[in-house]
Amino acid sequence: MTKEERLSLLGKNPVFWSRLGFCYDPPLKNAEGRPLVFTEDLSRYGKYHEEFCRVGVHIHTCVLHAGWMGVDEYDYSLTDRVLDEIFRCDPDGYFIPRIKLNVPIDWCYENPEELFVYPEGPTDKEAIRALVGTEKQDYIGYEAPNGYYMAGDFVDPRPNVGGLIARQSFASKKWLADATVALEKLIDRLERGKYGDRILGYHIAYGTSGECVFWGRISERYGDYGICARRAFFDWGLQKYGSREALADAWCQAADVTWETLRLPTPEERYGVKESVEGFFRGAKAQTVATDLDIFHSEINCDAIAHFGKAIKKIAPEKLVGAFYGYFMHVNNAAYTGHCAIARLLDSPYVDFFAAPKSYYRCQAGDVGGHLAAAQSVGRKKLWLDELDNRTHLAKGVEAGWESEGMHSTRTVFWREFAKNLSANTGFWWMDLGGGWFDDEEIMAEFARLRAANDLLQSKPYESAADILVLVDDTCITHMNISEELRLGFMEDFLYELRMTGCISDLYLLSDLEALDLSKYKLIVFAYTFEMSEKQREVVKSLGKDKTLLFNYAAGVISDGGVSLENTASLTGVTLAAVEKREYDFPTLAVCDGDAKVLLRDEEGNARIAQRNGVIVNTKPYLRADELRRITDLAGCHAYTPTGNIVYGDARFLGVFTGKEQGLSSPITTREQGSYRDLISGRTYEGSVISHPLAPKSAAFFLKEETKA
């Protein structure tokens, strides 16, 4: 099977993930000296794979122990057990192992200079070594008083709190080399083994939760102040600036600076400046080092993924390689996380797919749901896979009742996530993270219907039905300080509310602007685009008069010449200024252009939304769906339902999902005549108006079966 055939198979078919083989990371030994797995009875989770096999899902994934137990020590007993269980459940199925490449503890002891260090931690090699294996070493990557809180049968006796060091630095070449040896040993063993032809590809994993994110990100702790990271960042700076003198000038360091004497900015200096527009967007020279450190983090993270991908491709060139990457839309500290350089990987021949968990924000029945990244942009060059770890009404313990209150809401969430991914033309896997979330005949019958619906829809060509284009940018985040409220107010919540206008929108990276066919879009939203090159500015200014452009906050405030609200004015034609009013943890802006038509003022009379010709500038965060609906109506966008309902769709289908409090009694207005069948209720409709009442937290999924002249 060629790589292209594998990509097609993976992109068009659902996948199932279970806790089969879920094991301690770093690798620990059990009482028998074997790798510690959280549940010894693998058949408990094998049962779930059998159930999915029966409903037609034949691609499986789970954590597969890499066998790397210590320095020059390997044990593949757990690896083999997991493989045997997967293919016992589905002998003709396919498997994508998730392979964690974090280092064992004895490797940390032998290589203290290669470890990640928090700002409060030591910088002396022997002082770092002294913390290895103690409770001052962060094993997991986040603060966890009970250790692994979802460890199944295993009760973790080790609290993971207040670590001063973590495990490998992402800048460590020694880690890359040693982990590659372990990876190559495993891949060679798998490819030559009895299941080699059933392995569809490999999922690279490292860092916190194996999601290729820097240690500490989840708990908002920051590094890396370790020895090899400091040295690597200094070398990176020398390459960027060309000389020690130029580096010292750019980073405000002593003229004779070395990697040992380099002063790294503190977490507060990196992310704490909130007062002025220039300070918030790192316009001061003293902030250059913080911006460069964030860029460096993303680059070394991408390079590590590509490095491991290249190692796999050398042994198995036709096998797919993927990783978790691209979390910037729903992560406050995305720049620190190292997830702000996806273009670096989209052009890499060593990576074929990217993945992320589905959104954990506003994800219950009656909510919108979402992707953590610009999935449609990934789809232009690679494959995006959405990890659907949606909690069902069967979830227990700390997860109980989080997303679903009963089978009705479970069903709604399943169909919404299905529609969300189809409309973005992305793949997905269903994930039973808790163990037993789907263990129910009614739930499995719903998966059978979803599988059948997927087969129907994948037989039809994909074509977007959106007339709204939303643009966001990952690279600008490395040029700004952290603000949850700015991100929520102008990107995450903004997108969720836009989805509740009854309209359909596409979401792409700003870097795709020049390559996209813009002819079908009536409204183009620059939602989170604070940095623009001169070339991008020219493209924006050339957009036709037949479109409405909506610019959020200080769009384009960062240019090649620096940070200034004049950059925003030259882009939009509307002048902004900072005002004293402090609503949130970022500077408040208002329109101060007397020629612009004011659409909304705040309580102090400041103009927060204004229009000039076909351009609307919005400086008010947290616009509601009804406020956005006025803008979509003004732009002439098609609304399928009244405000308050979520709509996903493309040329093949239309998915309608009602809110938590509001049902749907008004007709659904499609864009053209046709025959429509609701795959949930089975009811059929003719024409362009569908009368299909829905209660709150409900779903309808209309398959377009034909178009009438």
Side-chain angles (χ1 to χ4, degrees), residues 178-226:
D178 291 354
T180 297
V181 170
L183 179 63
E184 289 174 339
K185 285 178 178 289
L186 177 65
I187 301 301
D188 182 67
R189 194 171 188 274
L190 295 176
E191 289 297 309
R192 291 188 295 105
K194 57 185 176 180
Y195 306 120
D197 63 340
R198 309 309 299 175
I199 295 176
L200 198 59
Y202 297 95
H203 185 166
I204 298 164
Y206 59 81
T208 303
S209 302
E211 294 181 62
C212 304
V213 300
F214 272 65
W215 307 109
R217 193 278 297 172
I218 295 174
S219 301
E220 298 186 351
R221 301 189 63 209
Y222 300 106
D224 180 0
Y225 296 86

Side-chain angles (χ1 to χ4, degrees), residues 19-138:
R19 290 170 56 86
L20 177 67
F22 206 38
C23 47
Y24 207 95
D25 178 17
L28 298 180
K29 296 178 181 179
N30 62 17
E32 289 73 42
R34 294 301 188 189
L36 175 64
V37 62
F38 290 150
T39 300
E40 281 291 342
D41 180 12
L42 301 187
S43 66
R44 181 194 307 181
Y45 299 114
K47 170 179 177 286
Y48 306 144
H49 287 273
E50 290 180 293
E51 290 172 350
F52 272 87
C53 178
R54 283 195 289 271
V55 299
V57 176
H58 295 289
I59 305 177
H60 307 268
T61 183
C62 67
V63 173
L64 185 68
H65 193 263
W68 191 18
M69 292 297 293
V71 176
D72 297 325
E73 181 183 359
Y74 297 89
D75 183 335
Y76 298 105
S77 58
L78 178 57
T79 310
D80 293 342
R81 288 176 60 202
V82 169
L83 286 167
D84 287 342
E85 183 63 21
I86 282 285
F87 291 104
R88 179 194 68 78
C89 299
D90 192 355
D92 298 320
Y94 290 96
F95 182 48
I96 303 174
R98 184 184 301 183
I99 301 167
K100 292 189 177 183
L101 296 171
N102 293 325
V103 297
I105 295 303
D106 66 343
W107 187 96
C108 298
Y109 187 81
E110 286 203 0
N111 301 282
E113 69 277 16
E114 306 295 326
L115 299 188
F116 178 103
V117 177
Y118 289 110
E120 307 87 355
T123 55
D124 174 75
K125 175 179 175 180
E126 292 307 318
I128 295 171
R129 192 197 311 271
L131 298 180
V132 172
T134 73
E135 290 190 1
K136 289 301 180 182
Q137 182 172 23
D138 176 7

Side-chain angles (χ1 to χ4, degrees), residues 226-228 230-232 234-235 244 257-262:
I227 296 170
C228 84
R230 184 184 298 270
R231 182 189 292 117
F234 184 79
D235 291 344
R244 185 190 308 269
V257 63
T258 66
W259 72 264
E260 293 99 333
T261 62
L262 173 67

Side-chain angles (χ1 to χ4, degrees), residues 144-452:
N146 298 316
Y148 276 96
Y149 73 99
M150 294 182 71
D153 297 342
F154 174 76
V155 178
D156 193 349
R158 182 186 187 275
N160 196 82
V161 176
L164 298 177
I165 64 172
R167 291 195 276 158
Q168 79 276 0
S169 169
F170 287 18
S172 171
K173 290 184 171 59
K174 185 71 163 58
W175 164 57
L176 290 176
D178 291 354
T180 297
V181 170
L183 179 63
E184 289 174 339
K185 285 178 178 289
L186 177 65
I187 301 301
D188 182 67
R189 194 171 188 274
L190 295 176
E191 289 297 309
R192 291 188 295 105
K194 57 185 176 180
Y195 306 120
D197 63 340
R198 309 309 299 175
I199 295 176
L200 198 59
Y202 297 95
H203 185 166
I204 298 164
Y206 59 81
T208 303
S209 302
E211 294 181 62
C212 304
V213 300
F214 272 65
W215 307 109
R217 193 278 297 172
I218 295 174
S219 301
E220 298 186 351
R221 301 189 63 209
Y222 300 106
D224 180 0
Y225 296 86
I227 296 170
C228 84
R230 184 184 298 270
R231 182 189 292 117
F233 182 51
F234 184 79
D235 291 344
W236 181 92
L238 284 177
Q239 184 174 6
K240 176 174 181 176
Y241 293 105
S243 69
R244 185 190 308 269
E245 293 74 21
L247 178 152
D249 179 65
W251 290 352
C252 300
Q253 305 280 329
D256 60 349
V257 63
T258 66
W259 72 264
E260 293 99 333
T261 62
L262 173 67
R263 181 187 177 277
L264 294 178
T266 66
E268 178 62 25
E269 290 170 332
R270 289 161 74 177
Y271 302 120
V273 180
K274 308 287 187 184
E275 295 303 318
S276 69
V277 172
E278 183 185 53
F280 184 83
F281 287 105
R282 293 178 173 174
K285 184 176 180 179
Q287 294 172 296
T288 301
V289 64
T291 290
D292 280 346
L293 190 55
D294 281 343
I295 294 171
F296 169 73
H297 276 187
S298 287
E299 288 190 2
I300 61 172
N301 198 15
C302 289
D303 291 349
I305 292 170
H307 176 91
F308 293 130
K310 183 177 181 180
I312 293 171
K313 294 286 187 180
K314 282 179 63 177
I315 299 172
E318 294 299 317
K319 296 295 177 72
L320 304 180
V321 174
F324 286 118
Y325 195 79
Y327 306 10
F328 76 94
M329 292 173 53
H330 295 225
V331 173
N332 292 333
N333 47 11
Y336 169 73
T337 298
H339 276 234
C340 291
I342 197 165
R344 199 175 180 92
L345 288 174
L346 288 174
D347 292 328
S348 171
Y350 307 121
V351 185
D352 304 301
F353 67 86
F354 297 91
K358 54 80 185 167
S359 171
Y360 294 112
Y361 181 64
R362 296 177 67 171
C363 58
Q364 297 174 306
D367 287 328
V368 176
H371 293 105
L372 292 193
Q376 286 174 277
S377 279
V378 172
R380 292 187 60 243
K381 295 183 177 180
K382 307 287 185 179
L383 175 64
W384 181 266
L385 295 175
D386 206 27
E387 181 177 78
L388 303 182
D389 58 341
N390 299 94
R391 281 66 173 160
T392 72
H393 59 285
L394 301 183
K396 299 177 181 178
V398 295
E399 309 301 336
W402 180 26
E403 290 181 20
S404 184
E405 303 145 359
M407 186 59 205
H408 176 80
S409 62
T410 291
R411 179 182 292 109
T412 296
V413 169
F414 285 169
W415 282 92
R416 184 201 66 211
E417 293 297 292
F418 180 54
K420 178 195 78 177
N421 282 293
L422 283 169
S423 66
N425 200 27
T426 58
F428 59 90
W429 67 75
W430 287 305
M431 186 185 203
D432 183 4
L433 182 58
W437 286 351
F438 308 145
D439 191 19
D440 175 84
E441 289 185 6
E442 193 173 10
I443 288 177
M444 292 312 300
E446 205 64 40
F447 279 128
R449 298 170 72 194
L450 286 161
R451 170 72 221 213

Side-chain angles (χ1 to χ4, degrees), residues 654 664 666-670 676 685-693 702:
L654 183 69
L664 177 65
S666 302
I668 299 163
T669 306
T670 69
Y676 297 90
Y685 302 88
E686 295 287 340
S688 61
V689 177
I690 299 173
S691 181
H692 190 91
F702 301 102

Side-chain angles (χ1 to χ4, degrees), residues 530-534 537 556-564 567:
F530 306 126
E531 180 186 19
M532 286 195 195
S533 67
E534 288 305 315
R537 290 168 188 272
V557 67
I558 307 167
S559 75
D560 299 335
V563 174
S564 172
N567 295 331

